[in-house]
Amino acid sequence: MTRKILISACLMGQPVRYNGSAKPLVHEAVARWREEGRLVVFCPELAGGFAVPRPPAEIERALDGSDVLDGSARVVEPSGRDVSQGFIEGARRALDVARTNGCRHALLIDGSPSCGSGFLYDGSFSGARHQGEGVTAAYLRRHGIAVFSHVEVDRLEKALEEEEAGSR
C-alpha cells in the first residue's frame, strides 16, 4: 500500500511563510512522491487563520509545542501578542487533513513554531535556537503521526520502505 505524506506547504514552494517566502525542498524522493501523488500539501499557520505576510512568532521562554498544548507556554509575536490559539487550531486541522488522507507520516520544515521537529527559536526573537518541537509537530506526534524534519528525507524514505515491505 502506498502511503500518503503530509508535507509543509513552504517545502513545496508555496510562499506561505510569515515573510511571504517559501523554502522549497529539492530531493529526489520528494519529487518522486509528488509524481506518485503521495504528498498532501498543508500549512497549519494558514489553516489556523494567519495571513501572509504576518509578524514572526516564537514559543516563549525556550519552551516548545508540547508546552503550548499543555497550556504552560504561549506562542507570541515580537509585540507580545499571544497567537497560541491560531497555532493550536492549525495543528488540529493538520491532524484532520492527515487522517482524512491516510497520512501516517509528516515531513515538516524545522525551526517553525508550528512545524519544527528538531529545533525552534527560543522566544527572544534574537535568532537563538534550542531543541524542541512546534505545536503542529507535537500535536501530530501525540496522535500517532511520525514527524520528520526537512533534513530527514532519507530517514523518512527508509521508514516508508520498511513499513511498505512489512505490509506485503
Side-chain angles (χ1 to χ4, degrees):
M1 176 180 191
T2 303
R3 296 267 179 218
K4 296 218 175 199
I5 304 158
L6 187 73
I7 187 168
S8 296
C10 61
L11 294 176
M12 296 307 297
Q14 294 184 16
V16 296
R17 298 183 72 230
Y18 76 94
N19 60 3
S21 69
K23 282 248 180 170
L25 179 59
V26 179
H27 192 286
E28 179 226 316
V30 175
R32 185 177 68 253
W33 296 332
R34 179 183 224 166
E35 278 183 29
E36 294 169 353
R38 296 179 70 170
L39 300 178
V40 177
V41 180
F42 189 80
C43 176
E45 292 180 25
L46 291 185
F50 297 102
V52 176
R54 59 189 170 273
E58 296 183 5
I59 299 172
E60 65 182 353
R61 301 187 330 261
L63 296 173
D64 75 4
S66 289
D67 299 307
V68 173
L69 293 170
D70 294 340
S72 59
R74 303 176 309 152
V75 184
V76 296
E77 294 175 342
S79 67
R81 180 175 163 239
D82 182 351
V83 291
S84 303
Q85 286 309 307
F87 280 80
I88 293 168
E89 179 61 23
R92 287 183 182 134
R93 290 182 181 204
L95 180 62
D96 288 345
V97 167
R99 285 180 169 163
T100 297
N101 288 280
C103 301
R104 293 181 17 182
H105 302 85
L107 182 59
L108 306 177
I109 184 77
D110 219 352
S112 159
S114 289
C115 296
S117 62
F119 78 88
L120 301 171
Y121 294 94
D122 72 356
S124 67
F125 297 93
S126 66
R129 302 182 339 178
H130 69 97
Q131 188 174 359
E133 61 187 351
V135 178
T136 297
Y139 196 73
L140 292 174
R141 282 184 173 142
R142 284 184 180 188
H143 291 89
I145 306 290
V147 176
F148 297 81
S149 83
H150 68 284
V151 298
E152 298 178 306
V153 176
D154 294 333
R155 199 166 73 79
L156 171 56
E157 185 174 33
K158 184 176 181 187
L160 288 168
E161 288 169 358
E162 289 173 357
E163 182 178 297
E164 289 167 7
S167 67
R168 290 183 195 143

